[in-house]
Amino acid sequence: MTDEQPCPFDVCDGSGFVIDEATRVATPCRCRPARLERRRARRLSAVVPRKYRGVSFDRPPISDMQDTIVRPVRQFVHRIDAELDAGHGLWLFGEPGTGKTSLAMLVSKAALDAGRSAAIYSLPRLLAEIRSTFETDSEGSYLDFTDRLAAVDLLHIDDVGAESTTSWVLEQLYTIVNARYEDERSIVITTNIEEPGQLAAQIGARTVSRLEEMCTVLPLFGEDARKFVA
């Protein structure tokens, strides 16, 4: 059975195996590990929301941003495989409407276009998904879900700090971030909270400390562009 993605090495037929025509013996293709990761991640949210599917460096709001803001993201996107392999991430913060989510979605789109596995969530939705794993009719267990979150090439979490702080929330955030920190997996986050100290009060100092080590921190300034949309 073939995957939906062609072999990036032009070696197999999309199945993840190479067939020796003489012996009829199948051996794993170099693309097989990535295929297994994509299949493992399929039950996660790996779809760019409709609003952001047309996001581009050449279109507003990103084309209206200062180059000093956009350049680091453009460089990250151009080196997407190397950045993900190295476990590098991005932390975008600023006031609402400054383009944080649009820039983050560009990174997620680039990862998916490169055939890498990604999971895209707002933090409130991610926490709701975690809570649902404790329900009796849940399709998957808590450990299975968090293991898949830890395994994807890129985890994109929007609106960090938008949730009410409880000990349970702090525990879940630390578990997710720490698992990716230990495995050197990339993460992209956006938040309206500008000061690391304020974010630490919201999501925990240990979590922020790991994010600071994992991510390049990019501040976004300006007025809320949504106010000017007709």
Side-chain angles (χ1 to χ4, degrees):
M1 181 179 178
T2 60
D3 201 333
E4 74 280 358
Q5 295 281 346
C7 177
F9 308 107
D10 293 324
V11 175
C12 74
D13 61 358
S15 65
F17 290 95
V18 179
I19 308 296
D20 187 307
E21 295 296 336
T23 63
R24 304 305 299 169
V25 173
T27 56
C29 179
R30 283 190 293 161
C31 70
R32 181 164 172 74
R35 292 182 187 281
L36 293 176
E37 286 295 336
R38 285 199 301 272
R39 290 170 188 168
R40 182 177 174 82
R42 275 178 182 158
R43 288 173 59 192
L44 300 175
S45 177
V47 177
V48 174
R50 180 179 298 178
K51 179 178 178 63
Y52 297 100
R53 289 176 192 169
V55 70
S56 166
F57 287 110
D58 301 320
R59 296 177 58 184
I62 296 172
S63 60
D64 296 332
M65 295 180 185
Q66 295 180 3
D67 184 63
T68 53
I69 295 173
V70 177
R71 190 185 309 123
V73 180
R74 190 191 301 273
Q75 292 171 343
F76 193 100
V77 165
H78 286 173
R79 301 192 301 258
I80 191 67
D81 281 317
E83 299 286 8
L84 297 184
D85 289 342
H88 295 160
L90 295 174
W91 169 348
L92 299 101
F93 72 84
E95 293 292 328
T98 50
K100 302 181 300 296
T101 298
S102 294
L103 286 170
M105 288 296 175
L106 274 175
V107 177
S108 293
K109 280 184 62 178
L112 292 169
D113 289 346
R116 307 299 290 261
S117 57
I120 305 168
Y121 289 96
S122 68
L123 185 53
R125 182 185 170 192
L126 178 58
L127 294 172
E129 292 272 1
I130 292 173
R131 289 188 183 97
S132 73
T133 65
F134 296 103
E135 297 174 0
T136 55
D137 59 349
S138 173
E139 294 183 0
S141 70
Y142 169 80
L143 288 177
D144 179 60
F145 184 73
T146 54
D147 283 349
R148 283 184 278 120
L149 284 176
V152 290
D153 293 320
L154 176 68
L155 178 59
H156 171 166
I157 308 180
D158 218 31
D159 290 333
V160 173
E163 70 298 322
S164 299
T165 300
T166 67
S167 59
W168 184 85
V169 167
L170 294 178
E171 178 186 350
Q172 303 314 310
L173 282 173
Y174 178 75
T175 297
I176 292 166
V177 171
N178 187 60
R180 298 191 66 81
Y181 173 82
E182 291 181 345
D183 287 345
E184 296 185 325
R185 298 278 189 174
S186 295
I187 188 167
V188 171
I189 71 164
T190 72
T191 179
N192 295 339
I193 301 175
E194 299 184 13
E195 293 296 329
Q198 293 177 339
L199 190 60
Q202 186 73 13
I203 68 173
R206 293 185 304 166
T207 301
V208 169
S209 175
R210 280 155 176 74
L211 288 171
E212 287 179 315
E213 186 172 336
M214 297 164 71
C215 299
T216 298
V217 181
L218 300 176
L220 279 77
F221 304 104
E223 296 183 82
D224 186 344
R226 300 187 188 102
K227 294 180 180 178
F228 304 101
V229 176

